[in-house]
Amino acid sequence: MINAKVTGLRGVELGVRDLHQSVAFYSHVWGLEPVGQQGDTIRLRGNGAEHHVVTLRQRPTPGLLGVHFAAADRDAVVALHAKAKAFGAAVLGEPADLPRDAGGGFGFSFRSLEGHVLNVSCDVARHPNVVNDRSKPVKLSHVVLNSARIGDERTFFIDLLGFKLSDATQMMEFIRCSADHHSIALARSEGPSLNHMAYEMTNIDGLMRGAGRLKQSGFNVEWGLGRHGPGDNVFTYFVEPNGFVTEYTTEVQQVDEADFEPHDAQYWDKFPLRPCRWGMGGHPSNRLKAAMGGDISVADPSDGKRCEEIMAKTLGR
């Protein structure tokens, strides 16, 4: 029987205003490793097996260009493509072999109800070597999308891609496609944009080492250190040179399907010590809140230049 659902989050695709500066940030500050460049596009991997977790493309205006998901095999990809067409989704072509510089594989693209480009693929190349450096991200943990039609978008992900609801608050709906508590969250907003993207660290010590590297590089912690309510994950948030919100996270709740029960907004309204279970995370900065709302004007032009200088010094050693 064909398992017509996605099985995990692969990566995120971003349009960036200065490709060189963005690569400098994501490689020499954030901790990813370039795995290939083709024209105006560079892909970077984490310390896990996934071929790449971020794709950067030079664009006049920064923005979210796509979210990538895994499927079990070619039959699942073909079944999901047919399902998307039957669902009435805007499908962007037939399933096809993917470029070798992107890890190869087989997949297709389509749009969510609000226009986010979603990609499903299988058989993408994996990395056999895993770098032993806990200060660097292992994988893309989750992506949070702003949505003006949160109920419709949640149904879209659940009915079409096989996601399951994990939790709901007044602000967000958390949905999963793997054992992680959430791979996607939908945040109530006036329209579609990227709220933030979170990268998983090996443990709290690794998260702190990574956060320390960011601070040493001139990037302030805009929220955290803390531990969330839904998902139970540890968090620190930053704003990167394009105005996107990036999060280091760890210890994301692992869902046991046998006995897991979602909680609604009323439950979380009564949960003690929100928004941080530890009572020490405080609240997000005004800059972070604006960036989470999709306001890329909060980007600081000096951040990218500083990243270039860091990269030059590192490569010059």
Side-chain angles (χ1 to χ4, degrees):
M1 181 177 181
I2 297 174
N3 194 7
K5 66 178 183 179
V6 299
T7 57
L9 178 65
R10 284 199 191 283
V12 66
E13 194 167 330
L14 306 171
V16 298
R17 61 168 57 87
D18 188 307
L19 187 61
H20 187 66
Q21 290 183 352
S22 295
V23 171
F25 171 80
Y26 280 99
S27 60
H28 290 270
V29 179
W30 196 247
L32 303 178
E33 178 184 346
V35 290
Q37 180 173 0
Q38 185 74 22
D40 65 355
T41 300
I42 294 180
R43 296 177 176 86
L44 300 99
R45 64 168 292 195
N47 280 349
E50 195 67 54
H51 181 269
H52 59 279
V53 297
V54 174
T55 299
L56 303 176
R57 299 186 187 274
Q58 180 88 35
R59 293 293 185 268
T61 303
L64 176 66
L65 300 181
V67 183
H68 291 255
F69 300 100
D73 51 36
R74 287 181 171 239
D75 287 342
V77 169
V78 171
L80 282 167
H81 180 265
K83 196 174 175 183
K85 291 178 72 173
F87 202 89
V91 178
L92 308 177
E94 298 295 312
D97 291 328
L98 302 175
R100 291 185 64 182
D101 64 282
F106 179 76
F108 74 100
S109 303
F110 61 105
R111 293 186 183 275
S112 74
L113 297 178
E114 289 189 300
H116 291 297
V117 176
L118 308 177
N119 307 270
V120 176
S121 60
C122 68
D123 299 335
V124 177
R126 308 278 286 176
H127 293 286
N129 59 316
V130 177
V131 181
N132 185 22
D133 184 348
R134 60 184 179 275
S135 78
K136 297 184 175 183
V138 176
K139 69 174 187 177
L140 187 67
S141 171
H142 58 266
V143 176
V144 178
L145 303 172
N146 292 322
S147 172
R149 301 169 58 188
I150 194 167
D152 292 338
E153 286 285 79
R154 180 193 63 222
T155 300
F156 181 89
F157 276 92
I158 291 173
D159 289 354
L160 174 53
L161 298 179
F163 276 75
K164 295 182 179 180
L165 178 66
S166 292
D167 279 302
T169 69
Q170 298 292 348
M171 294 179 60
M172 291 186 182
E173 305 271 341
F174 299 84
I175 55 178
R176 67 186 187 276
C177 61
S178 66
D180 290 345
H181 176 271
H182 55 288
S183 300
I184 294 291
L186 302 165
R188 288 175 173 81
S189 180
E190 295 179 356
S193 61
L194 176 62
N195 183 286
H196 73 269
M197 48 193 164
Y199 299 78
E200 183 176 300
M201 309 299 280
T202 302
N203 53 29
I204 293 177
D205 181 73
L207 182 147
M208 294 300 291
R209 290 174 184 270
R213 182 176 59 245
L214 267 289
K215 289 199 70 174
Q216 291 293 318
S217 301
F219 290 85
N220 292 326
V221 177
E222 303 286 347
W223 188 18
L225 178 83
R227 187 183 283 278
H228 281 307
D232 196 28
N233 48 308
V234 181
F235 64 85
T236 51
Y237 290 85
F238 302 86
V239 177
E240 56 92 87
N242 297 283
F244 302 131
V245 177
T246 53
E247 175 191 358
Y248 280 149
T249 191
T250 193
E251 297 188 356
V252 177
Q253 179 183 359
Q254 296 300 290
V255 172
D256 182 348
E257 297 290 352
D259 58 10
F260 181 80
E261 292 185 11
H263 296 297
D264 60 14
Q266 185 176 10
Y267 171 90
W268 289 110
D269 283 344
K270 298 175 181 178
F271 194 84
L273 295 179
R274 289 187 65 224
C276 171
R277 292 180 186 229
W278 290 336
M280 64 172 289
H283 294 272
S285 68
N286 289 333
R287 182 182 185 225
L288 189 78
K289 287 189 286 187
M292 283 180 161
D295 182 3
I296 59 172
S297 70
V298 301
D300 184 345
S302 66
D303 285 345
K305 295 178 181 178
R306 187 167 60 253
C307 292
E308 280 192 291
E309 293 170 358
I310 292 170
M311 182 169 70
K313 289 180 180 178
T314 303
L315 295 177
R317 288 176 183 170

